[in-house]
Amino acid sequence: MNTKHTLHLLSSGFIESDVDNILHHVSEYDTSIVFLMNDIHKYPEISDACIIIPEIIKYFSGKSFCKLFMNIENSEYLADKYKIIKYPSVLFFKRDTFTGYVSGIYPWKEYKEKILFHLNLIPCVGG
């Protein structure tokens, strides 16, 4: 992953994790999000998501949750484990239980609605 993207995620409060430590991180919070990435040359929309997702997450500043991201190798492992075929993807956990994901890139409003739904803050129209 591009160092610029890593630095942006870190400065936005995300923690870089790996498959060996993910359950430790997510079990400490009621709600966790895990940002999966891949090669930005193969999936250029990851560059947009690295900016959009942290900005959307700012809307939830009053809610305490864990924000993680994975390098390519760990992202591919988790994508395979949870049957995710599209990048970028955001996984959602309630404690250590996987509850769903959002894959791909969407218009700002739709992305926000999908994340709100998975954080159980409002109902999602259109799945």
Side-chain angles (χ1 to χ4, degrees), residues 32-125:
S32 297
I33 64 168
V34 180
F35 188 29
L36 302 186
M37 297 189 235
N38 209 303
D39 182 351
I40 60 172
H41 300 293
K42 187 174 179 182
Y43 302 97
E45 56 274 20
I46 289 172
S47 292
D48 294 333
C50 284
I51 303 301
I52 294 168
I53 291 172
E55 288 301 313
I56 290 173
I57 297 304
K58 288 180 184 177
Y59 284 99
F60 317 119
S61 60
K63 185 166 175 63
S64 175
F65 54 90
C66 183
K67 302 178 292 189
L68 304 173
F69 71 96
M70 302 286 163
N71 66 22
I72 292 172
E73 181 181 334
N74 288 285
S75 290
E76 289 175 343
Y77 175 86
L78 290 175
D80 186 54
K81 179 177 180 173
Y82 295 112
K83 311 295 186 231
I84 296 167
I85 59 172
K86 191 172 183 180
Y87 293 96
S89 291
V90 179
L91 310 182
F92 297 88
F93 290 83
K94 295 290 183 186
R95 290 283 171 189
D96 57 357
T97 302
F98 173 70
T99 59
Y101 66 93
V102 174
S103 289
I105 198 87
Y106 299 92
W108 184 272
K109 183 179 180 206
E110 189 175 349
Y111 227 146
K112 185 177 171 188
E113 288 173 356
K114 289 179 179 293
I115 290 173
L116 284 167
F117 170 76
H118 284 286
L119 293 176
N120 295 316
L121 298 176
I122 63 168
C124 183
V125 178

